[in-house]
Amino acid sequence: MSRPAPLFLRSRPRPMWLLAPISIAIATLALVACSDGDDVAATATASDAPDPTVQPLIVTDDTGAQVEIAAPPRRIVAVLPSVTYLLLDLGLGDRIVASDNFSLEAAPEMGDVPSVGGEGFAFNLELTTALQPDLIVIATGGTESFVDQARALDIPVLALDFPSSVDEMLEQVILLGDVFDVRDEAAALVADLRARLDAVSARYAGLPPVRVYMELDQSTPTRPFSVGPGSLHDDVIRRAGGVNILSDAASAFPQVNYETIIAADPDLILLLNSAEFTSELASNPVSPAQIGDRPGWGGLTAVRNGNVVGVDQALFGGGLRIVDAVEQVAQALARARAATAP
């Protein structure tokens, strides 16, 4: 099934809280200029009154919910690495008052920030409530119950899908820049990342494409999971100058048999389940040297030319490191291209 475009990519209103200090100052100066000493108290009273020009930012998240942001959130609960990474990339780590087990393992730089859970996608609503967050920023997928419970208690929740492309991830950076009033930082990050992506495109433009097989895990022996259209991984392969041999698969993360890979005969094999970068989340990790031992794989072009490469799966976990992934995959493609050149 095709994935709908993220709802937050719709045009967003510019929050008015940035204009509030200016409008208040102008109003105060005008009152002082046209009043005598007896009107000072009236001026102070007018300045303290709510400013009717200040409007909350309203965003629509990926669950279709409208989220009202009255002011830039200062107390954040960040749930799941794909959003936690982005918050850290934007320099918002000091606003995170709690996170989840997966994020704390993936980003130890958060230190002793408390965890609201996450094992089995069970989260501690009581602790979350006690922390009095201004906003929960959470990834979708297994978190629906927690989102519904938090919203029932009137805790604002911004739920974001795991990005299906690099562009979608960059749009999330801009969105969070709006929400947290760090627009300049977000714009600078996106500009830098786009410059790096453009450099990759320019370096390898016009060169012969390389056929790529990317393996996520082999939790089911002889039936590994790979990547297909609509996945962030597929977009990375394309941006790096490769052709995914499963670009016409029926899902974003297809499970395939060995015969399919053998028939496609890839020029490059990328292992995200490589023993070189093993972690507790890896299922049956395999080393590049072991790939040729699989039945029928010894004759693959990638194996014969030594183009079986382990890639750190953390690069695909969310955040700005996805551009590192594009650059690393482009380098692996360049080596494979050289090996298959006539």
Side-chain angles (χ1 to χ4, degrees):
M1 180 180 296
S2 62
R3 190 161 171 261
L7 293 172
F8 61 77
L9 296 185
R10 300 173 181 173
S11 59
R12 295 183 292 274
R14 182 175 179 84
M16 298 298 293
W17 61 62
L18 291 179
L19 305 180
I22 298 174
S23 60
I24 290 174
I26 292 173
T28 301
L29 289 172
L31 285 169
V32 170
C34 64
S35 63
D36 55 26
D38 294 336
D39 293 330
V40 172
T43 301
T45 301
S47 299
D48 292 339
D51 185 353
T53 67
V54 179
Q55 300 294 325
L57 172 66
I58 306 293
V59 296
T60 304
D61 75 0
D62 287 342
T63 68
Q66 287 196 325
V67 185
E68 180 176 311
I69 311 295
R74 306 298 305 181
R75 297 179 61 79
I76 313 166
V77 172
V79 180
L80 295 188
S82 62
V83 296
T84 302
Y85 281 138
L86 288 179
L87 294 170
L88 294 174
D89 291 335
L90 283 167
L92 299 170
D94 59 341
R95 303 193 197 186
I96 297 176
V97 297
S99 192
D100 66 290
N101 294 349
F102 303 115
S103 295
L104 290 171
E105 178 182 354
E109 62 267 30
M110 285 196 289
D112 58 356
V113 169
S115 173
V116 296
E119 297 298 333
F121 288 92
F123 300 94
N124 189 330
L125 184 63
E126 183 178 359
L127 173 59
T128 302
T129 304
L131 290 168
Q132 299 181 316
D134 300 320
L135 182 67
I136 297 173
V137 184
I138 191 168
T140 60
T143 58
E144 291 78 9
S145 177
F146 182 57
V147 169
D148 291 343
Q149 291 172 350
R151 285 176 173 160
L153 295 176
D154 292 327
I155 302 174
V157 180
L158 181 69
L160 302 178
D161 290 340
F162 186 86
S164 62
S165 68
V166 175
D167 281 337
E168 189 173 320
M169 185 273 292
L170 296 179
E171 286 289 343
Q172 290 183 350
V173 174
I174 296 299
L175 173 68
L176 293 173
D178 285 351
V179 169
F180 292 99
D181 191 19
V182 288
R183 279 180 191 73
D184 290 345
E185 293 86 343
L189 281 175
V190 169
D192 176 66
L193 296 172
R194 289 203 181 280
R196 290 169 58 189
L197 291 168
D198 290 345
V200 171
S201 297
R203 188 177 306 124
Y204 300 109
L207 296 179
V210 176
R211 291 165 52 77
V212 181
Y213 165 65
M214 180 179 286
E215 184 168 297
L216 297 182
D217 78 51
Q218 54 168 346
S219 52
T220 304
T222 75
R223 294 273 295 167
F225 282 91
S226 186
V227 300
S231 67
L232 179 63
H233 307 66
D234 180 75
D235 189 48
V236 167
I237 292 171
R238 180 187 60 80
R239 284 180 174 275
V243 175
N244 181 7
I245 64 169
L246 296 171
S247 60
D248 60 351
S251 67
F253 299 103
Q255 191 172 15
V256 297
N257 56 42
Y258 283 0
E259 290 76 15
T260 299
I261 309 306
I262 293 169
D265 190 23
D267 302 309
L268 173 66
I269 296 174
L270 299 173
L271 300 175
L272 269 66
N273 58 335
S274 172
E276 180 183 0
F277 300 103
T278 189
S279 72
E280 293 182 6
L281 299 179
S283 180
N284 295 331
V286 59
S287 71
Q290 293 173 314
I291 289 296
D293 296 334
R294 291 177 174 177
W297 286 50
L300 293 179
T301 299
V303 174
R304 288 188 288 104
N305 290 333
N307 287 314
V308 181
V309 180
V311 180
D312 189 353
Q313 63 178 338
L315 296 178
F316 292 83
L320 308 187
R321 289 182 296 175
I322 196 63
V323 178
D324 295 333
V326 172
E327 292 171 338
Q328 289 189 22
V329 171
Q331 292 170 5
L333 288 167
R335 292 191 293 270
R337 190 178 290 111
T340 56

